[in-house]
């Protein structure tokens, strides 16, 4: 018997949601796709709905009225506001963790305490609600190699200050707790953490609350300028596979971090359903968790979706229905890279918008190249910029150097005034003499032969 085709709603506006909608559209199970609020790219795949991804009652009403069978949460704020709980209360299927489980991202104090309770490797830390107590603690420390973080969601890394000296840490405490730069709520709870060093990595796994199945690690580039310099951004590019990882990396991270997290959340009565994104640092004393996110990464998702072979809709439904198996996640061989193009002066607070964009059709026609929109809109039939990050040229190929070359060919064809992009995505990887190591993929996720 032919099963019913599904109407799917994606919540969010960026390149991540464009990539999710693009992958969802490939599922033979899908009837219609809606994106709230979406962008000019998602409008080509489905129907944009002019409801903010933070308007939880508005989204529940829309999903009920339009017989939405599956809602996929792209962004983190709705999770923190309890969008999953609200949809479930209305009898609507939704992919993402409930509010209590989403504290893994929305409360760093919760996440750090959780990791401590469950022996999940994370930098040593202390939590403070009082400014003077935090200052006194700083005084007692041997040096200022510390990181000061607000516990709540901090936009674009603004809630994290990496310090070399105690004076910098004192200044950060003053900014967050006394000047309340990020607001009253963010001033209430602060974490002072040991500063570690090493390469960073984004690891993703799906979970149905009991079983976790790995996707794969992706590396993103957070700084605006080449050589990892300049201010932090939402992410200027991403790639996979990551060549500098040992062959058993995924299995080890599953054993020491992902599985204990899923088991610990279930044991504490907050089963975690959705995608778990662990921000990792590869340190001299092993892999450490810098943060958890309860959503897909942006731009990492462009790479994840480009290399995911299996049906995303089926995998998400399996998560929601508590029947996830490794067979739901099949990864293609080869590599993918995404290069983000951003507005002039991004990530400064103000930047021009409404700049005409050209060449996207030429770029998209290149071999292996795809375009995911982040901040675009359509004005009088013309594609224009609408946010700091604008669009990401993404490419797949048999090898990482080739995927990077293809992505940059696409960037060459895509134009808007003053476009900024990094020229070193994949940093140094393209100069490798040897082909990238693909052996870290788990054989259980059905990888083809690496070429
Ligand atoms: P987070 O939002 O906690 O991932 O922090 C944002 C960025 O700050 C990370 O991607 C790291 O580059 C840096 N960072 C956070 N925590 C640490 C730490 N304990 N040691 C060194 N760098 C860190
Ligand atoms: N690219 C990092 C993030 O999505 O948080």
């Amino acid at each position: 018997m032919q099963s019913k085709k599904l109407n799917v709603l994606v919540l969010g506006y960026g390149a991540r949601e464009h990539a999710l909608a693009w992958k969802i559209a490939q599922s033979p199970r899908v009837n219609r796709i809606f994106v709230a609020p979406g962008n000019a790219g998602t409008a080509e795949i489905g129907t944009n709905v002019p409801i903010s991804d933070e308007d939880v009652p508005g989204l529940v009403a829309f999903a009920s009225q339009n017989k939405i069978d599956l809602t996929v949460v792209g962004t983190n704020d709705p999770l923190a506001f309890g969008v999953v709980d609200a949809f479930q209360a209305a009898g609507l299927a939704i992919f993402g963790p409930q509010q209590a489980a989403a504290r893994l991202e929305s409360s760093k104090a919760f996440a750090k305490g959780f990791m401590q309770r469950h022996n999940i490797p994370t930098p040593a830390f202390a939590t403070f609600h009082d400014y003077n107590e935090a200052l006194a603690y700083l005084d007692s420390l041997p040096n200022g190699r510390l990181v000061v973080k607000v516990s709540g969601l901090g936009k674009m890394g603004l809630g994290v200050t990496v310090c070399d000296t105690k004076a910098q840490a004192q200044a950060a405490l003053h900014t967050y707790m006394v000047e309340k730069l990020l607001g009253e709520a963010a001033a209430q709870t602060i974490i002072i953490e040991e500063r570690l060093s090493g390469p960073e990595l984004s690891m993703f796994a799906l979970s149905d609350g009991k079983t976790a199945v790995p996707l794969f690690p992706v590396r993103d580039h957070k700084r605006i300028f080449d050589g990892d310099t300049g201010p932090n951004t939402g992410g200027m590019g991403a790639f996979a596979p990551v060549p500098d990882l040992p062959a058993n990396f995924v299995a080890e991270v599953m054993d020491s971090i992902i599985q204990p997290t899923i088991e610990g959340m279930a044991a504490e009565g907050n089963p975690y359903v959705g995608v778990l994104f662990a921000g990792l640092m590869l340190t001299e004393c092993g892999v450490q968790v810098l943060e958890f996110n309860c959503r897909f990464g942006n731009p990492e998702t462009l790479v994840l979706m480009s290399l995911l072979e299996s049906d995303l809709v089926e995998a998400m439904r399996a998560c929601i229905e508590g029947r996830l198996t490794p067979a739901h996640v099949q990864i293609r061989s080869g590599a993918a890279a995404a290069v983000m193009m951003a507005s002039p002066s991004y990530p400064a607070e103000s930047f021009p918008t409404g700049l005409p964009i050209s060449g996207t059709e030429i770029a998209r026609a290149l071999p292996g190249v795809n375009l995911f929109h982040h901040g675009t809109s359509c004005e009088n039939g013309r594609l224009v910029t609408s946010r700091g990050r604008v669009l990401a040229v993404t490419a797949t190929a048999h090898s990482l150097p080739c995927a990077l070359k293809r992505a940059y060919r696409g960037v060459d064809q895509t134009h808007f005034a003053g476009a900024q992009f990094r020229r070193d995505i994949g940093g140094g990887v393209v100069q490798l003499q040897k082909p990238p190591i693909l052996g870290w993929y788990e054989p259980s996720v059905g990888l083809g032969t690496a070429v």
Side-chain angles (χ1 to χ4, degrees), residues 104-262:
L104 277 180
E105 176 167 3
S106 64
S107 166
K108 283 192 198 287
F110 173 81
K112 295 291 288 189
F114 174 85
M115 287 189 268
Q116 194 172 46
R117 290 195 288 285
H118 296 277
N119 293 320
I120 294 165
T122 191
F125 71 102
T127 306
F128 297 93
H129 305 288
D130 180 84
Y131 174 62
N132 289 318
E133 280 178 24
L135 281 183
Y137 175 74
L138 266 189
D139 265 349
S140 73
L141 295 175
N143 63 57
R145 278 191 57 83
L146 299 165
V147 186
V148 180
K149 301 183 177 184
V150 301
S151 174
L153 293 171
K155 206 172 153 230
M156 254 174 36
L158 283 184
V160 176
T161 306
V162 179
C163 308
D164 284 312
T165 62
K166 284 192 186 182
Q168 287 170 347
Q170 280 160 358
L173 285 176
H174 195 268
T175 309
Y176 294 142
M177 298 188 93
V178 180
E179 294 160 50
K180 303 186 179 171
L181 179 79
L182 298 178
E184 187 62 46
Q188 298 306 314
T189 311
I190 297 287
I191 287 150
I192 300 178
E193 192 171 281
E194 169 193 19
R195 177 175 165 188
L196 302 177
S197 54
E200 291 181 47
L201 198 68
S202 306
M203 174 65 193
F204 299 86
L206 299 181
S207 168
D208 66 0
K210 306 180 296 289
T211 303
V213 176
L215 288 157
F216 53 87
V218 179
R219 179 157 288 150
D220 81 343
H221 295 261
K222 288 199 175 106
R223 303 298 186 109
I224 183 77
F225 299 131
D226 287 3
D228 288 329
T229 55
N232 258 331
T233 70
M236 292 301 290
F239 65 94
V242 182
D244 54 346
L245 300 178
N248 57 351
F249 180 80
V250 169
E252 282 192 1
V253 169
M254 290 305 289
D255 280 354
S256 63
I257 293 167
I258 306 291
Q259 205 60 51
T261 302
I262 300 305

Side-chain angles (χ1 to χ4, degrees), residues 343-427:
S343 301
S345 77
Y346 174 79
E349 263 181 39
S350 73
F351 44 79
T353 56
L355 302 169
I357 306 169
S358 63
T360 53
E361 290 310 317
I362 301 169
R364 201 151 51 179
L366 294 170
V369 172
N370 203 347
L371 247 69
F372 292 112
H373 294 219
H374 186 82
T376 62
S377 59
C378 208
E379 275 176 18
N380 306 319
R382 196 153 190 207
L383 187 66
V384 297
T385 65
S386 64
R387 287 181 180 273
R389 289 187 296 168
V390 175
L391 52 79
V393 182
T394 306
T396 52
H398 65 284
S399 72
L400 185 55
C402 185
L404 288 160
K405 263 188 218 141
R406 286 180 163 183
Y408 279 108
R409 271 189 215 131
V411 170
D412 280 345
Q413 297 298 330
T414 309
H415 306 288
F416 55 90
Q420 300 191 79
F421 58 89
R422 280 187 54 167
R423 289 170 174 78
D424 64 346
I425 300 304

